[in-house]
Amino acid sequence: MGSNDLSNLEKLLPLAEKYGLAYIVALILLIIVITIVRSIVKGSLVPRELLDRAEEDRDRLQAILDKERADFMAPTLEVLQRLKIDHAAVNSNDEDRGG
């Protein structure tokens, strides 16, 4: 430990005696968390090019999933359209089925 570290420690020890060690440690951890959150918000924690690349990959994969979902759901949509047409034809007789 250097002399600077010792002088900082000498300043902190009376505070630890006065307020308790848990409060001092909580304050230090709070400062660390605020610093990390601030760096995340400013974008200095993750380089911008990595974030852009991750967003491009996500968009590309989402497009692939959307295409597969559309291909998978096409037969189901056809069946539903046929049922809708059949239902409209049956209801054109104006029959009341009750209920």
Side-chain angles (χ1 to χ4, degrees), residues 81-96:
Q81 289 297 329
R82 276 189 257 136
L83 286 174
K84 187 176 178 183
I85 291 170
D86 292 343
H87 185 61
V90 169
N91 283 342
S92 65
N93 295 335
D94 293 330
E95 293 180 10
D96 187 18

Side-chain angles (χ1 to χ4, degrees), residues 53-93:
R53 187 181 330 147
E55 288 177 349
E56 289 171 1
D57 289 344
R58 183 199 61 213
D59 293 342
R60 182 178 51 83
L61 292 174
Q62 186 63 44
I64 291 170
L65 286 174
D66 289 343
K67 183 183 178 301
E68 288 180 2
R69 187 179 303 127
D71 293 343
F72 177 74
M73 293 299 287
T76 306
L77 290 174
E78 289 175 16
V79 169
L80 289 174
Q81 289 297 329
R82 276 189 257 136
L83 286 174
K84 187 176 178 183
I85 291 170
D86 292 343
H87 185 61
V90 169
N91 283 342
S92 65
N93 295 335

Side-chain angles (χ1 to χ4, degrees), residues 26-80:
L27 180 66
I28 292 171
L29 289 176
L30 181 66
I31 291 170
I32 291 171
V33 168
I34 289 172
T35 305
I36 291 173
V37 169
R38 185 172 165 246
S39 64
I40 289 172
V41 169
K42 289 174 82 175
S44 61
L45 194 61
V46 177
R48 189 68 178 169
E49 55 272 359
L50 290 177
L51 180 63
D52 291 340
R53 187 181 330 147
E55 288 177 349
E56 289 171 1
D57 289 344
R58 183 199 61 213
D59 293 342
R60 182 178 51 83
L61 292 174
Q62 186 63 44
I64 291 170
L65 286 174
D66 289 343
K67 183 183 178 301
E68 288 180 2
R69 187 179 303 127
D71 293 343
F72 177 74
M73 293 299 287
T76 306
L77 290 174
E78 289 175 16
V79 169
L80 289 174

